[in-house]
Amino acid sequence: MLAGTCIVVEGVLQLPSLAVKHVIELKSEQVLHLGVVDHEKYPLSKKRVPLDALRDWAHIRPRTTTVASITRISNALIHATHTFFQNNGFLFLQVPVITAIDSQGFSEKFRVTSLAAKTTRKEEPTEESDVRGVGLETNKASIKEKSHQVEELKRNDSNRDALVAAILDLNKTNELVSQLEATEKMKAATSLKSNAVSTSEDHSPCLAYLTVSGRLHLESYACALGHVYSYGPRFRAETSQTAKYVAEMWVVETEFAFAELEEAMSCATDLLKYLCKCVLDNCPEDTKFILKRVDKTVAHRLQSVISADFMKISYQEAVVVLTKVTEKNFKSKIEWGLPLTEEHENSYLADEIYKVPVIVYNYPKEVKPFYVLVNDDGRTVVAFNVIIPKVGALIRGSQNEESMNMVTNRVKELDLPSEKYEWYLDLRRHRSVRHAGFSLGIDFMVLLATGITDVRNVIPFPRTYGKINNQVHSKNTKKHTSTLRHNTTTSKPLEVRIYQS
């Protein structure tokens, strides 16, 4: 029977009759259904296909044992996340996917619009335009001939009257060509104007984007109900083709009132430990498979997160420690004020120097969102990253600014449209409270639990720069009606156009 064949068999399950490696044996009595595959075209015909290659067949790869195990572990992590927050008094709510604001102040965004592409439809030329076009080209050619004739008459002074007549004729032809060209330009301008689409026709009266983060919206409910969390898709118009960047990721975000930085870091630590324990307790068979086929250290790494005391260091201390490293040349510059990159956080802080999970806090305000509480030094903000060995920054959180004046100043510093943040400033006008929160990318948590190193291999249908379909297609493939559109010449946000029939 060829690989990929689908069958329904009626029979008896029993212990193996022969000494083989299998645990059970099916003694079939009747085959009720048989679904066959085209073995020549079936992508899983080979015994083993690399995970990277399977990304080109995202709709087929769930049939592999590895992806099936990853999916079950992912499901367990999502269920455990809800259980953790529900057991700790958090309320679940959905935040909008479409928003008018930049939730962080400096992120790459997808723009959402219901307007069709502003391209002029090519119309069939009318008889009048054909005649006008021919007349213009004919007269332009005639100018060359008449100019040549004038030059010949100038060299021959025998016929002055003929020269005057030729010059007059040439001038008339030049005037006619100018008129025809002006008419063509006017027609083109009128055509473009008639085909232009007014922004007032868009679904939204202002620019709209796919959300980067839901923490601002969560904050409004936290100030009313206490502890809240959300789980949903978040979007970034990243053009990087790396193992950690995709356009769409599913993220758990939380916000809780009357909390400061320490409470947020403590909650984040408890959540990570709970999720790691959940995988070990509830996914023994899949973990056993992962240990055998993917990463032999997964169970040890999960157990180390559960039992470890997380190391806490400030951003300033992290920079000092990294600048003292001599045995490695970092690709990214290490300097105060610059963000710590994956190689700084993952390769050295967590893996090589401390060898345990690390929490880095008090980052420069330039590398964190505008709403984060600014420290007394005016340079750093009350924010933190939780860095896990072999994975990197898994959780990002902060204590948020309570002062309306401070938030207003940060909005101005980043040149954000203040009118779009009036609703957020209302939370400060009307008695804000101390509050903090964090976000956890579930897909990165799956990397920790499975030992997979590329996030595109654990997301069911990864969306990356230049690839929106489930399958690889050539550049000449016909475009679908829903597209991700990117302007590579500017820093304008990508546009998600929703064409309506």
Side-chain angles (χ1 to χ4, degrees):
M1 192 177 297
L2 298 176
T5 304
C6 176
I7 61 172
V8 176
V9 179
E10 188 178 272
V12 179
L13 286 174
Q14 61 186 28
L15 294 175
S17 56
L18 301 174
V20 292
K21 64 178 181 179
H22 302 296
V23 179
I24 58 174
E25 178 180 282
L26 173 61
K27 187 176 182 180
S28 62
E29 297 174 350
Q30 185 179 7
V31 177
L32 303 177
H33 174 76
L34 183 66
V36 297
V37 298
D38 186 337
H39 188 67
E40 295 297 325
K41 297 181 180 179
Y42 189 55
L44 304 182
S45 297
K46 297 180 180 179
K47 188 173 183 180
R48 288 192 181 182
V49 182
L51 285 175
D52 292 353
L54 284 175
R55 286 204 297 269
D56 296 337
W57 302 91
H59 54 299
I60 299 293
R61 67 178 181 174
R63 304 179 188 186
T64 66
T65 310
T66 301
V67 175
S69 290
I70 292 171
T71 304
R72 284 189 289 267
I73 290 174
S74 177
N75 172 73
L77 286 169
I78 295 168
H79 181 270
T81 299
H82 284 288
T83 302
F84 174 86
F85 284 115
Q86 292 292 327
N87 289 348
N88 284 279
F90 285 76
L91 297 177
F92 174 75
L93 64 99
Q94 294 286 8
V95 296
V97 171
I98 300 176
T99 179
I101 61 174
D102 182 346
S103 302
Q104 296 185 337
F106 48 74
S107 49
E108 296 290 335
K109 306 177 293 298
F110 288 105
R111 183 187 168 192
V112 180
T113 177
S114 61
L115 300 179
K118 298 178 182 180
T119 56
T120 304
R121 180 181 299 175
K122 292 184 178 180
E123 300 179 353
E124 292 296 326
T126 62
E127 183 178 350
E128 180 184 354
S129 64
D130 285 343
V131 171
R132 187 186 294 114
V134 171
L136 178 61
E137 295 302 319
T138 301
N139 280 285
K140 283 184 176 181
S142 177
I143 287 175
K144 294 181 179 180
E145 295 178 1
K146 292 178 180 180
S147 297
H148 179 71
Q149 183 181 359
V150 168
E151 292 299 323
E152 288 292 330
L153 289 171
K154 284 181 178 180
R155 285 193 289 269
N156 185 1
D157 294 335
S158 61
N159 194 341
R160 299 289 299 176
D161 293 337
L163 175 61
V164 172
I167 292 175
L168 289 174
D169 187 31
L170 175 61
N171 290 340
K172 288 181 180 180
T173 305
N174 281 326
E175 289 178 4
L176 178 59
V177 168
S178 297
Q179 291 174 1
L180 290 173
E181 287 179 337
T183 302
E184 289 295 316
K185 288 180 180 179
M186 186 178 298
K187 180 186 175 184
T190 303
S191 176
L192 288 172
K193 185 176 181 180
S194 63
N195 282 283
V197 183
S198 172
T199 54
S200 63
E201 299 175 14
D202 205 347
H203 184 276
S204 172
C206 63
L207 293 179
Y209 310 98
L210 294 181
T211 185
V212 174
S213 170
R215 285 191 58 193
L216 298 190
H217 292 90
L218 280 176
E219 192 177 315
S220 62
Y221 271 72
C223 291
L225 303 175
H227 292 33
V228 294
Y229 78 102
S230 181
Y231 173 62
R234 306 293 181 258
F235 304 87
R236 290 182 183 273
E238 296 281 356
T239 58
S240 304
Q241 295 280 15
T242 68
K244 294 294 179 68
Y245 288 104
V246 290
E248 175 186 352
M249 294 192 72
W250 282 66
V251 179
V252 176
E253 293 178 302
T254 179
E255 205 74 30
F256 33 105
F258 304 104
E260 297 183 351
L261 182 68
E262 285 298 328
E263 287 92 337
M265 291 193 294
S266 177
C267 182
T269 301
D270 291 343
L271 173 61
L272 280 180
K273 291 177 180 287
Y274 182 85
L275 294 180
C276 289
K277 189 174 187 303
C278 159
V279 173
L280 293 177
D281 290 347
N282 300 321
C283 306
E285 293 301 318
D286 290 309
T287 301
K288 186 185 299 183
F289 174 82
I290 292 294
L291 288 169
K292 182 179 179 181
R293 293 289 183 88
V294 180
D295 188 345
K296 296 179 180 179
T297 66
V298 163
H300 173 74
R301 186 160 58 252
L302 293 174
Q303 190 59 53
S304 67
V305 172
I306 296 171
S307 59
D309 291 327
F310 287 28
M311 183 72 183
K312 295 180 181 179
I313 61 171
S314 68
Y315 169 87
Q316 174 67 35
E317 292 172 317
V319 170
V320 171
V321 169
L322 289 169
T323 53
K324 293 180 179 179
V325 174
T326 58
E327 62 271 18
K328 178 178 174 60
N329 292 323
F330 292 111
K331 296 179 181 178
S332 302
K333 189 176 182 180
I334 303 171
E335 183 180 295
W336 199 98
L338 297 179
L340 299 178
T341 65
E342 183 183 343
E343 65 171 340
H344 300 151
E345 296 175 331
N346 185 13
S347 299
Y348 261 82
L349 284 178
D351 282 353
E352 301 295 334
I353 298 175
Y354 298 109
K355 302 185 187 301
V356 294
V358 178
I359 299 179
V360 180
Y361 62 93
N362 285 354
Y363 280 81
K365 67 178 184 179
E366 290 79 12
V367 302
K368 288 296 180 180
F370 73 93
Y371 55 80
V372 182
L373 177 65
V374 179
N375 283 311
D376 293 338
D377 60 13
R379 303 173 66 209
T380 62
V381 290
V382 187
F384 70 95
N385 284 5
V386 181
I387 304 164
I388 304 297
K390 302 296 182 184
V391 178
L394 200 56
I395 289 181
R396 291 176 168 84
S398 65
Q399 180 179 340
N400 297 350
E401 181 62 66
E402 305 164 42
S403 167
M404 179 177 170
N405 289 336
M406 291 297 293
V407 176
T408 302
N409 290 338
R410 290 288 286 143
V411 168
K412 290 180 179 178
E413 285 177 19
L414 295 173
D415 197 26
L416 300 175
S418 57
E419 67 278 2
K420 292 186 177 182
Y421 293 87
E422 281 299 312
W423 70 267
Y424 185 68
L425 293 174
D426 274 347
L427 301 178
R428 273 75 185 161
R429 290 189 184 98
H430 307 300
R431 298 295 179 90
S432 180
V433 298
R434 287 181 293 108
H435 51 282
F438 60 81
S439 62
L440 162 66
I442 282 292
D443 303 309
F444 290 140
M445 189 66 210
V446 177
L447 295 184
L448 172 63
T450 60
I452 304 294
T453 58
D454 195 319
V455 73
R456 294 169 293 183
N457 292 334
V458 301
I459 296 176
F461 300 98
R463 300 312 192 211
T464 57
Y465 178 63
K467 187 174 186 295
I468 191 64
N469 207 352
N470 296 338
Q471 205 168 358
V472 170
H473 292 278
S474 67
K475 294 182 179 179
N476 295 325
T477 302
K478 185 178 179 180
K479 294 181 179 178
H480 293 265
T481 55
S482 293
T483 62
L484 295 184
R485 188 170 180 176
H486 184 236
N487 185 343
T488 58
T489 61
T490 71
S491 58
K492 294 180 180 179
L494 304 193
E495 293 187 1
V496 181
R497 298 186 178 274
I498 308 170
Y499 298 161
Q500 299 174 341
S501 57

